[in-house]
Amino acid sequence: MLRLQNVSLVRGVRVLYKNVNLTTSDGEIIGLVGPNGSGKSTLFAAILGELSTEDGDILAPPLNRISHVAQRVVETDLPALEYILEGHAPLMEAKAELKRAEEAGDDMAYAQAVAHLAEINEGAVVAKAEEILYGLGFKPNDSSRQVSEFSGGWRNRIALARALMRPADLLLLDEPTNHLDIDSVIWLESFLKQQEATVIVISHDREFLDRIAKSIWSVEDNTINRYGGNYSQFEVTRAQKLALQQAAAKAYERTASHLQAYIDRFRYKATKARQAQSRIKMLEKLQSVEPVLAKNEWRFSFLQPEKVPQHLITAEGVACGYEPDHPILTQVKCNISAGARIGILGVNGTGKSTLVKTLIGELEPLAGEIRYGQGLEIGYFAQHQLNDLRDDESPLQHLTRIAPPNMRELDLRNFLGKFRFSGDQALAPVGPMSGGEK
């Protein structure tokens, strides 16, 4: 169980939230939501003891009973399966116990260690690790590959597998569906529903939260509020709550204004002094209601091109891949027209990203022909786009580097403002930013 008692957290000089009082139930799956930079990942760090609260207490299970996904997977030469099994602390301790007994030549300790290892059932633990690997999209022969051989996205999956492997009372997941395909997301949903630990999930995937969450913790108005139900239910309840708050605030304002007007008019008139004093007491007892703070809505829009060709990309008999003798896809034929909205599906490793890179010209086709519409301009957001960010540079510096030479700084700042990077935020280094902000 996890309990937050009057918790206040500060990042730099900014108060993220204060006076937070929340308690989890055993086996509860909680969605932690809020705007980018509001302190969701910071709460995880506080639960793990990586930073201190400004005020209040966090009562959490022991660290060896909390599982979380490491922000970065070490570049180890261990096989993937072995690295994931290291996340199972009881198994690792039992094997270490057996090794110590062997080295000491202690027959009694050795017998106890063998019994301990048999009780844990290493075979079942290994089978579970393989099941997790397969569920997250790995192929059978991937378990023996070294972790260092995998790309960044696949290492993130390995980190997730290691966290899921660990016996825990509390499981903390920060954007677990990033880098997962549809099949892996469906598998993860099923896995989380079946395990016994309390789970807190940070996610911007509303459909994922709708399917797994039993309650929502929402970071809002410098605190964290709990709502029962999944994400859709949270949205309805919160909208109703805000509507009631706004109505109550208006009613308070009307009543207070009426009382204050009477007081101002008659408090110094002898004939009305008693009534005025009565209204002063009523005004003092009247419970104030804060109006709902207006929030700037973020309306995402793409810049409009000056001219759009009717036929954007045409591919005929295209082969995609990295080695001429071993193409990943062959005989690709497609015709992409202006205004099309196309989804590309397929299990991991079947060549979805390779196809996109080939169509946009980042990879040369191994065979066939690709034709582009005249004047076509292509925007591309890659699977591992975050790897291109420079931690020591600001959002403004990133845009300045890729913007046309004739763009003014004011234009770039206005553009960043649409993405909620205004004022000093546009000049802050990217490194410390949250995942969502990046």
Side-chain angles (χ1 to χ4, degrees):
M1 182 182 288
L2 172 71
R3 181 175 296 161
L4 310 182
Q5 296 178 329
N6 297 315
V7 169
S8 297
L9 275 174
V10 174
R11 189 170 73 180
V13 297
R14 186 163 67 95
V15 177
L16 297 173
Y17 30 81
K18 54 189 177 182
N19 301 326
V20 175
N21 290 281
L22 292 166
T23 303
T24 66
S25 302
D26 292 341
E28 185 179 13
I29 301 180
I30 301 161
L32 179 58
V33 302
N36 291 331
S38 61
K40 301 185 295 294
S41 298
T42 304
L43 178 61
F44 277 13
I47 292 171
L48 294 166
E50 295 171 0
L51 56 85
S52 301
T53 60
E54 189 73 10
D55 195 13
D57 297 302
I58 296 178
L59 307 178
L63 283 177
N64 63 356
R65 297 296 301 176
I66 301 177
S67 184
H68 72 286
V69 181
Q71 292 292 323
R72 198 167 182 179
V73 182
V74 293
E75 290 196 21
T76 176
D77 290 334
L78 284 175
L81 180 61
E82 190 174 331
Y83 180 77
I84 290 166
L85 286 171
E86 281 190 348
H88 196 287
L91 175 63
M92 292 300 103
E93 178 54 35
K95 295 180 82 168
E97 179 187 353
L98 184 65
K99 185 177 180 181
R100 287 193 298 269
E102 281 180 327
E103 292 174 348
D106 187 334
D107 292 341
M108 181 66 71
Y110 182 81
Q112 290 177 339
V114 169
H116 188 196
L117 193 59
E119 183 182 343
I120 291 174
N121 192 346
E122 183 177 4
V125 173
V126 171
K128 181 181 179 182
E130 290 175 337
E131 174 198 343
I132 292 173
L133 276 171
Y134 180 76
L136 293 178
F138 290 88
K139 298 184 179 69
N141 60 343
D142 285 337
S143 61
S144 58
R145 290 176 57 193
Q146 295 177 355
V147 173
S148 55
E149 295 178 17
F150 290 92
S151 66
W154 284 98
R155 285 185 199 170
N156 287 335
R157 295 190 192 213
I158 291 173
L160 175 59
R162 183 174 165 123
L164 298 179
M165 192 68 230
R166 181 173 184 146
D169 299 318
L170 178 62
L171 176 58
L172 305 177
L173 298 177
D174 194 341
E175 294 288 358
T177 57
N178 284 358
H179 309 288
L180 296 186
D181 60 13
I182 292 174
D183 292 335
S184 299
V185 170
I186 293 170
W187 176 87
L188 179 61
E189 290 170 5
S190 176
F191 181 91
L192 293 178
K193 289 175 183 177
Q194 292 173 16
Q195 57 79 55
E196 297 179 354
T198 297
V199 183
I200 305 179
V201 182
I202 298 172
S203 180
H204 292 282
D205 185 341
R206 58 185 298 160
E207 292 185 357
F208 178 69
L209 290 177
D210 266 349
R211 289 191 287 265
I212 67 164
K214 300 301 180 185
S215 60
I216 298 292
W217 287 5
S218 173
V219 184
E220 55 190 45
D221 300 328
N222 289 116
T223 190
I224 305 178
N225 291 320
R226 182 190 183 280
Y227 296 82
N230 62 16
Y231 188 84
S232 292
Q233 291 167 319
F234 148 72
E235 281 195 318
V236 172
T237 305
R238 185 164 186 268
Q240 292 171 342
K241 172 188 167 185
L242 293 177
L244 289 172
Q245 180 183 338
Q246 188 67 9
K250 288 181 178 180
Y252 163 78
E253 188 179 340
R254 284 194 304 269
T255 304
S257 177
H258 179 74
L259 291 172
Q260 188 65 52
Y262 188 96
I263 293 166
D264 293 343
R265 184 177 179 187
F266 295 116
R267 73 186 304 172
Y268 299 114
K269 287 190 176 184
T271 57
K272 297 286 188 180
R274 190 171 180 179
Q275 292 93 323
Q277 285 299 318
S278 174
R279 281 163 174 77
I280 288 173
K281 291 180 181 178
M282 289 173 62
L283 184 59
E284 289 172 350
K285 291 180 180 179
L286 193 64
Q287 190 172 2
S288 65
V289 180
E290 293 295 324
V292 176
L293 294 176
K295 289 183 170 58
N296 294 326
E297 281 195 32
W298 180 29
R299 294 189 177 276
F300 184 90
S301 62
F302 290 98
L303 295 176
Q304 292 301 311
E306 293 181 6
K307 184 181 179 182
V308 182
Q310 183 58 37
H311 297 288
L312 306 181
I313 300 176
T314 302
E316 294 281 353
V318 169
C320 311
Y322 300 87
E323 301 176 19
D325 296 334
H326 299 91
I328 298 173
L329 296 170
T330 59
Q331 294 301 317
V332 174
K333 180 180 180 181
C334 66
N335 189 356
I336 304 175
S337 300
R341 304 288 186 267
I342 300 168
I344 302 177
L345 301 180
V347 297
N348 288 315
T350 52
K352 300 184 297 294
S353 296
T354 303
L355 171 62
V356 173
K357 289 177 181 178
T358 304
L359 290 177
I360 70 169
E362 189 173 301
L363 286 178
E364 288 290 327
L366 301 178
E369 181 185 10
I370 300 177
R371 298 187 297 275
Y372 302 97
Q374 188 173 3
L376 177 67
E377 293 286 348
I378 298 176
Y380 177 49
F381 186 81
Q383 185 177 7
H384 306 301
Q385 193 78 32
L386 297 191
N387 295 343
D388 293 338
L389 296 180
R390 301 179 185 179
D391 287 350
D392 58 332
E393 288 192 358
S394 68
L396 182 60
Q397 287 174 305
H398 277 87
L399 256 66
T400 301
R401 193 168 62 248
I402 63 172
N406 60 341
M407 279 199 81
R408 301 175 303 164
E409 181 177 317
L410 178 61
D411 296 328
L412 295 177
R413 279 179 167 271
N414 288 338
F415 186 78
L416 284 167
K418 295 179 181 178
F419 292 82
R420 293 180 175 166
F421 291 102
S422 56
D424 292 341
Q425 288 178 303
L427 305 176
V430 163
M433 290 182 180
S434 70
E437 288 172 320
K438 288 179 180 180

